Amino acid sequence: MGDAKVIPFDDDRDRSRGAAPGGQSRTGQRARRRGARTGQSAPLTTVPGQQDPGEGDGPRRGGAGPSEAAADRHGSEQGAGAEQGPGDADGAESRGEGPASGGEDAAAESTLGGLATRLLGDDWEDRAARGLAFLRRRVTGEYEVDDFGYDRELTDQVLMSLLRPVFEKYFRVEVRGIENIPADGAALVVANHSGTLPLDGLMLQVAVHDHHPADRRLRLLGADLVFVLPLVNELARKAGHTLACAEDAQTLLGRGEVVGVMPEGFKGLGKPFADRYKLQRFGRGGFVSTALRTGAPIVPCSIVGAEEIYPMIGNSRTLARLFGFPYFPLTPTFPWLGPLGAVPLPTKWTIQFGEPLPTDDYPPEAADDPMLMFNLTDQVRETIQHTLYKLLVRRRSVFF
């Protein structure tokens, strides 16, 4: 007894929270009690600071049983927090185990990437790269326009992107017979014109751009007023529009382009709401002469839905003369509601392309035959008018 070393109970409890009196851990006590209940002897555990018999100074290699390994793991987990110092924590962080590890940065990057994918789509990285490349070309001037001012890249990536939501979500345009436009070569699309403002021409352009299987582009012929208005002139040129004259139309058709024309002009665009879907006179048939000279087929096109976006119930001729406009529309909302009255009504649209009328079978001198031009012009006009009537009969509602 004189050689025994007495360890104060309180001091022992302070040094190790998991140790029990007599140097035995709480884990060992629980194991011994379980063994007493089941009639089995509890496994022996290794006392900290001692080695098993037969072990040398080197590490153990399979000498410890499962219970001893579990006890060792338990003890190491309990003492990990107390034994690790500030230096160890810094080392763990430098090894990627601490809170400032690269694993958390990777997780945050993955989370942001997943959020961007859900919001912008799976191809958002490619679209972002294309957008940056587009801006670089705009800044450096490395883009092309033709002799009419048509900027195809700007039209495809910017102007069509702005018009597409109006086409798909607001007017919910249904396109029919788009396959009647040839996959290659020249074609002259002739459509009715209405709506007080020329939104039908823009929607027609989106229909060809987005729905034609051969990825064709529509070059519209516009009135003189379009190309004298500031900003409108620049945007129209960039979008591929040009002046409605025989020379420009013939040049574009000679290059194999798809050209669009609305022969009613301002007479159809600014007609009263009471005359909706009643085609006005198709001019002098100049578009037929151009088609005959180039041999381009004529594709009749009927547009339903544009007549109701701005119901024109009156025309202020005084204001029209004051501003130099062909008419000044009075609608149920404009100008009474100010800028809010310029918002079009969300009508349901249908654009149908009819079967093409070939012109390459006629001799070259046919373009100078006034009777032939009159007959072909009347044929195209009647085709569009009858198609409008058919579409109106099938339409369930103006807005649905």
Side-chain angles (χ1 to χ4, degrees), residues 218-239:
L218 181 67
R219 307 291 297 271
L220 283 171
L221 303 179
D224 299 350
L225 180 61
V226 175
F227 300 98
V228 298
L229 295 176
L231 183 62
V232 176
N233 173 32
E234 294 294 330
L235 291 177
R237 291 289 184 184
K238 295 290 185 181

Side-chain angles (χ1 to χ4, degrees), residues 336-348:
W336 330 114
L337 299 182
L340 186 61
V343 178
L345 297 178
T347 58
K348 176 72 170 62

Side-chain angles (χ1 to χ4, degrees), residues 308-354:
E308 295 88 2
I309 59 174
Y310 296 111
M312 186 171 168
I313 58 177
N315 178 19
S316 177
R317 300 183 184 277
T318 302
L319 292 176
R321 288 194 299 269
L322 178 63
F323 292 106
F325 296 156
Y327 57 90
F328 191 91
L330 302 177
T331 73
T333 58
F334 182 84
W336 330 114
L337 299 182
L340 186 61
V343 178
L345 297 178
T347 58
K348 176 72 170 62
W349 286 35
T350 301
I351 299 179
Q352 178 162 334
F353 298 91

